Amino acid sequence: MEMQSWTRNVRKVIPYTPGEQPKVKNIIKLNTNENPYPPSPLVGKAISEVSMDSLRKYPDPACVNLVQAIADYHKKDSSRVFVGVGSDDVLAMSFLTFFNSDKPVLFPDITYSFYDVWADLFRIPYVQKPLDDSFKIKASDYEEECGGIVIPNPNAPTGVAEPVEFFEKIVAAHPECVVIIDEAYVDFGSKSCIDLTDKYDNVLVVRTFSKSRAMAGNRIGYAIGSPELIKYLSDCKFSFNSYTMDTITLAAGVASIADDEYFKEKIDAVIATREWTKEQLSSLGFTFPDSMSNFIFAKHESVNAVFIFEELKKRGIFVRHFSKPERIADYLRISIGTDEEMQRLIKNIKEILGVK
Amino acid sequence: MEMQSWTRNVRKVIPYTPGEQPKVKNIIKLNTNENPYPPSPLVGKAISEVSMDSLRKYPDPACVNLVQAIADYHKKDSSRVFVGVGSDDVLAMSFLTFFNSDKPVLFPDITYSFYDVWADLFRIPYVQKPLDDSFKIKASDYEEECGGIVIPNPNAPTGVAEPVEFFEKIVAAHPECVVIIDEAYVDFGSKSCIDLTDKYDNVLVVRTFSKSRAMAGNRIGYAIGSPELIKYLSDCKFSFNSYTMDTITLAAGVASIADDEYFKEKIDAVIATREWTKEQLSSLGFTFPDSMSNFIFAKHESVNAVFIFEELKKRGIFVRHFSKPERIADYLRISIGTDEEMQRLIKNIKEILGVK
């Protein structure tokens, strides 16, 4: 018998590539949609109050305090809340739990580029539905019987949002599968589909603390759905890792929810800066779909995106460029920073374009 | 066409049940193998020094500082280290990455009760090999060609350790599969198989900060293996969740590794208390395999385990009892606490047994 190598039985995949986290200081980082403001001061206070002795013990696996805080915030029962290590953890676990059909899962061709990675990892068949020429999702693409649907609202990297009615039609038409609405950016001005989970047991709304709550470094995501759906998701999660949320993170999450005034103030600031940036970019010859998120997906009328990307990088300003699919290769995704950061961005773009 | 329900395509599983984390105060908690001592003071210092503003940004997805600290500690190249959210995360990801054969994965019948849960979650075929009557692993059970092997050393909940040569024979005989050695408890007195990873590219050694480093509340685990094996594991991890390790946890982990004096002092204390507890339990009519871990797996010569378990619980002392498999239903797994806690345990057991 010829010996076989262990590599034969390896699950071989092409992983997702996250945005660069440069080690150099004094840069303007507009490449991973982080919040330019720190988390609520209550978060720092809660972290400093965690007893160091308590760390020797396992955290609460049910994450009762954080789950209850999120449930109260959204006025849902705690049996309808699931928490994870960022929304990526929640989404990965949801793909594993719900997408086990022979029929394909459907999602847009231009969207969060992790969806096809999860589908490939778990050997889930999928079909990517092309956005229309104005980067809008075509409802008619989501009518066929399928193994699941996942759509971000607003979509990324386009920033385009659809109304709740748009999603209700899809959810109502698909009792045969779970529909995931990924609301990573919903706090920046679009309408949430969370209340659809009161009426339909097949819809899961996923959220994150990474963007609007300025807590990317803490890793907290969550989902709201029907109790039945959350129970299935929890069963798979507890078959993977009982203790995903650490003691400090749990305390930090509860504290963020408690400071709603700060939360709304910083969101308003980001939205105001975004609208100012839109005006500036327009006047410099950029076009973009109307973003309802904390980034703008923009294309210049004549200057190449990679050129602008590289020139900005030389000047210490990091934005994001996606080379695939080809129809977005002319676009840059620019996260919204502070007013001062965006002023410096615009000043540098003017220099690059040779505008006085 | 009759509509089908989304529940048809759900991955239905029976999750792992973690040990109870009682909410009441003033109990003696000897049920989840936690360390009775707090983490190094350097851990608290590192946590307090994390900039709250930095939390708005994503953590380093490559976890370079923590990976390098672990690599240096074990005198291995950083390309041979993988970190995760506790060793459960590392093990779950390893099952997904490496166990994709049609042949069964092999592990003991009495062992960490998460192995069969992961196998069921990922639909991996497996065969559980019975320990012998003295709770030892039979090497001859692991000779057949298979889809993978996973064995804890020391084994849990028995506490029995095998020498490195025992594992080297298994690893050398199985180039067709990955052999995982789960060293969650190795720091409490048995020999590590980490150096086997220098010589064999098909062996993965998994460790945790939860027990010997007293950091169960932080969620840090890691694996050491060949660069090729670690690369495959990382590819699957980065196809699941780019940012599993949060900013504070990364800093805490580095700080723990830096304080080796404290680490060794507390391990010595736990070992000394364990040996004292063994003597006491023996003199009270308990028998147990000779534990090399931070727990003792003990059976009384005449009194029922569930009775002792319930009586201890009434007195505020939590130990662990496994009702399955039946051949361990007469045993209690008792974690090693402080000297004072173990003295109180022994005092209470004497009362329960009616010993003066």
Side-chain angles (χ1 to χ4, degrees), chain B residues 188 270-278 291-293 296 336:
Chain B
F188 299 103
V270 169
I271 291 174
T273 309
R274 178 186 73 204
E275 296 307 311
W276 178 86
T277 308
K278 283 181 186 173
S291 172
M292 298 297 272
S293 60
I296 299 170
I336 303 301

Side-chain angles (χ1 to χ4, degrees), chain B residues 17 43 62 152 172 178 241 246 264 277 311-312 318 328 344 346:
Chain B
T17 310
V43 170
V178 172
N241 187 359
D246 70 83
K264 289 187 171 134
T277 308
E311 286 296 317
L312 284 172
F318 287 68
I328 63 168
R344 280 179 57 193
I346 295 298

Side-chain angles (χ1 to χ4, degrees), chain A residues 34 55 58 211 217 219 243, chain B residues 34 55 58 211 217 219 243:
Chain A
E34 288 148 342
L55 296 177
Y58 283 93
K211 320 291 184 184
R219 320 306 307 122
Y243 305 99
Chain B
E34 288 148 340
L55 296 177
Y58 283 94
K211 320 291 183 184
R219 320 304 309 123
Y243 305 99

Side-chain angles (χ1 to χ4, degrees), chain B residues 3-187:
Chain B
M3 279 293 186
Q4 287 171 356
S5 162
W6 57 273
T7 58
R8 227 182 99 116
N9 298 319
V10 166
R11 185 174 296 254
K12 296 179 190 80
V13 291
I14 299 165
Y16 174 78
T17 310
E20 206 176 338
Q21 294 291 342
K23 297 278 193 309
V24 287
K25 302 268 177 187
N26 298 319
I27 58 152
I28 297 182
K29 197 167 171 304
L30 307 174
N31 69 330
T32 53
N33 299 340
E34 288 148 340
N35 202 308
Y37 304 106
S40 157
L42 295 193
V43 170
K45 186 163 178 287
I47 291 169
S48 71
E49 285 170 3
V50 172
S51 140
M52 288 304 112
D53 180 65
S54 75
L55 296 177
R56 68 182 182 81
K57 287 193 279 188
Y58 283 94
D60 170 20
C63 308
V64 167
N65 294 344
L66 181 58
V67 162
Q68 192 63 55
I70 293 168
D72 291 347
Y73 187 77
H74 290 297
K75 302 185 173 60
K76 308 294 175 206
D77 190 79
S78 62
S79 65
R80 296 175 51 190
V81 176
F82 175 89
V83 298
V85 182
S87 57
D88 286 348
D89 184 43
V90 176
L91 286 162
M93 203 49 72
S94 299
F95 272 56
L96 181 66
T97 307
F98 300 119
F99 295 163
N100 295 283
S101 169
D102 293 333
K103 296 203 172 63
V105 168
L106 312 180
F107 48 86
D109 66 335
I110 298 169
T111 194
Y112 187 28
S113 45
F114 222 134
Y115 297 153
D116 57 335
V117 173
W118 285 315
D120 286 334
L121 176 67
F122 297 127
R123 312 308 191 213
I124 298 165
Y126 61 94
V127 174
Q128 292 167 293
K129 299 291 188 178
L131 299 184
D132 73 15
D133 289 341
S134 55
F135 289 149
K136 284 181 72 73
I137 295 163
K138 289 179 281 181
S140 58
D141 279 344
Y142 298 86
E143 286 170 0
E144 68 200 78
E145 199 178 325
C146 62
I149 292 171
V150 54
I151 300 176
N153 193 48
N155 193 12
T158 64
V160 176
E162 296 294 341
V164 173
E165 300 71 42
F166 177 93
F167 289 98
E168 179 159 13
K169 270 184 204 154
I170 292 176
V171 170
H174 287 284
E176 88 286 6
C177 74
V178 172
V179 178
I180 299 177
I181 303 169
D182 179 353
E183 294 192 339
Y185 300 101
V186 77
D187 290 321

Side-chain angles (χ1 to χ4, degrees), chain B residues 152-344:
Chain B
N153 193 48
N155 193 12
T158 64
V160 176
E162 296 294 341
V164 173
E165 300 71 42
F166 177 93
F167 289 98
E168 179 159 13
K169 270 184 204 154
I170 292 176
V171 170
H174 287 284
E176 88 286 6
C177 74
V178 172
V179 178
I180 299 177
I181 303 169
D182 179 353
E183 294 192 339
Y185 300 101
V186 77
D187 290 321
F188 299 103
S190 62
K191 287 267 184 298
S192 173
C193 290
I194 278 189
D195 288 346
L196 291 183
T197 67
D198 298 341
K199 193 171 162 189
Y200 301 94
D201 67 358
N202 65 322
V203 57
L204 188 75
V205 174
V206 177
R207 294 283 195 101
T208 178
F209 279 47
S210 299
K211 320 291 183 184
S212 56
R213 294 194 177 276
M215 291 170 72
N218 292 287
R219 320 304 309 123
I220 307 176
Y222 62 101
I224 308 272
S226 61
E228 190 180 12
L229 195 147
I230 295 296
K231 174 69 166 62
Y232 282 127
L233 185 56
S234 292
D235 282 353
C236 275
K237 173 256 177 326
F238 280 103
S239 292
F240 187 93
N241 187 359
S242 310
Y243 305 99
T244 49
M245 308 298 292
D246 70 83
T247 301
I248 295 173
T249 301
L250 289 172
V254 171
S256 171
I257 298 269
D259 197 353
D260 207 40
E261 193 180 341
Y262 179 92
F263 175 65
K264 289 187 171 134
E265 182 187 304
K266 296 308 177 198
I267 283 175
D268 288 348
V270 169
I271 291 174
T273 309
R274 178 186 73 204
E275 296 307 311
W276 178 86
T277 308
K278 283 181 186 173
E279 284 170 28
Q280 297 294 313
L281 289 175
S282 271
S283 73
L284 291 171
F286 285 91
T287 54
F288 42 84
D290 191 30
S291 172
M292 298 297 272
S293 60
N294 69 337
F295 54 81
I296 299 170
F297 194 56
K299 171 189 179 172
H300 194 263
E301 58 192 3
S302 58
V303 183
N304 179 272
V306 175
F307 175 76
I308 301 173
F309 173 87
E310 294 294 349
E311 286 296 317
L312 284 172
K313 197 167 173 176
K314 282 183 202 163
R315 291 161 163 85
I317 301 176
F318 287 68
V319 299
R320 189 102 194 246
H321 177 258
F322 300 91
S323 48
K324 285 190 299 185
E326 212 182 305
R327 59 193 282 228
I328 63 168
D330 284 338
Y331 284 79
L332 296 173
R333 193 194 66 186
I334 303 166
S335 307
I336 303 301
T338 60
D339 281 340
E340 195 203 336
E341 286 173 328
M342 300 320 271
Q343 283 157 12
R344 280 179 57 193

